[in-house]
Amino acid sequence: MVAEQEASGVEATLTLADWRRQIGSLYAEVRRRAADDPGSALTFWRETRERLYRTHAQSPVPAADRAAFRASHFDHDPALRYAVEVEAPDRTPAEPLGAGLGFAGLSIELPVSAGGAMAFRRFGAVTIPFESGPQRLEIYWMEGYAGGLFLPFRDATNGRETYGAGRYLLDAAKSADLGPGATPTSLVLDFNFAFQPSCAFDPKWACPLAPPANRLGLEVRAGERVA
């Protein structure tokens, strides 16, 4: 019995490594295609993710639901793809100058869907020039060994057409990164690639959630949806 448990643990770890490998390859191909044709890159992203969610052992979709799983998306809106400059984040009144300042910015804990919190650094912010008016989002750097970019957001579709706790634009833990814009201090943010966190499919997953600073006061009708 112990040997079986150990084998199961080895297999689970290696399938997780394979999941990350395949998602990393997916985003590398998306970045390559998007340089010439963002629409083709989006189609490839949707089709590949749906296949992995249906067939991979590390899919966030419960095993019993995988065979019938079909992803839902808003229509592609090319106007919701931006290359934006990353600026220093605003300091809140409760943060004295220099407080919590480290390699990547101001320390912050984001709530987690399963309870508790995860540590990040609030190192930058971007202004999204939506047609209805500009809105600001903070960008975080994950604490821990590898680190990485993280950008969660909420909008007015949450709880109806998208997961109630929001979606992600950047998540280095899942290789979700569309790369820089024309300058080293810019990022490509395309809301057509916004995706649901794993906990949207199964509450067994623990997902960091978007803080109040990243709640947009409009509907973002692009990216993945749940209904």
Side-chain angles (χ1 to χ4, degrees), residues 170-192:
L170 299 173
D171 183 2
K174 296 181 175 64
S175 300
D177 182 353
L178 298 180
T183 70
T185 55
S186 66
L187 288 170
V188 172
L189 299 179
D190 189 336
F191 286 88
N192 295 285

Side-chain angles (χ1 to χ4, degrees), residues 56-214:
H56 200 281
Q58 287 290 336
S59 168
V61 177
D65 300 333
R66 288 174 191 166
F69 175 76
R70 295 295 182 271
S72 297
H73 305 89
F74 291 101
D75 291 340
H76 180 206
D77 186 347
L80 290 174
R81 182 180 179 88
Y82 307 97
V84 291
E85 288 291 321
V86 181
E87 307 166 359
D90 295 329
R91 183 177 60 87
T92 68
E95 294 167 343
L97 288 173
L101 197 59
F103 158 72
L106 296 159
S107 297
I108 186 173
E109 289 192 337
L110 298 184
V112 173
S113 60
M118 290 180 62
F120 292 82
R121 286 195 176 110
R122 184 164 57 88
F123 86 96
V126 292
T127 299
I128 310 296
F130 290 112
E131 184 177 353
S132 60
Q135 299 214 25
R136 195 168 173 86
L137 291 171
E138 293 185 342
I139 305 179
Y140 308 100
W141 184 263
M142 299 177 187
E143 294 280 16
Y145 172 71
L149 298 171
F150 183 59
L151 200 172
F153 73 97
R154 296 188 184 187
D155 70 280
T157 68
N158 295 162
R160 297 183 292 106
E161 296 166 289
T162 59
Y163 180 54
R167 291 178 287 170
Y168 295 169
L169 277 179
L170 299 173
D171 183 2
K174 296 181 175 64
S175 300
D177 182 353
L178 298 180
T183 70
T185 55
S186 66
L187 288 170
V188 172
L189 299 179
D190 189 336
F191 286 88
N192 295 285
F193 290 86
F195 62 97
Q196 317 286 350
S198 297
C199 50
F201 303 99
D202 191 332
K204 77 173 186 179
W205 300 98
C207 306
L209 305 176
N214 279 17

Side-chain angles (χ1 to χ4, degrees), residues 11 15-16 18-19 52 54-61 63 66 204-205:
E11 182 178 356
T15 56
L16 177 58
D18 182 70
W19 172 269
L52 289 172
R54 286 203 309 267
T55 63
H56 200 281
Q58 287 290 336
S59 168
V61 177
R66 288 174 191 166
K204 77 173 186 179
W205 300 98

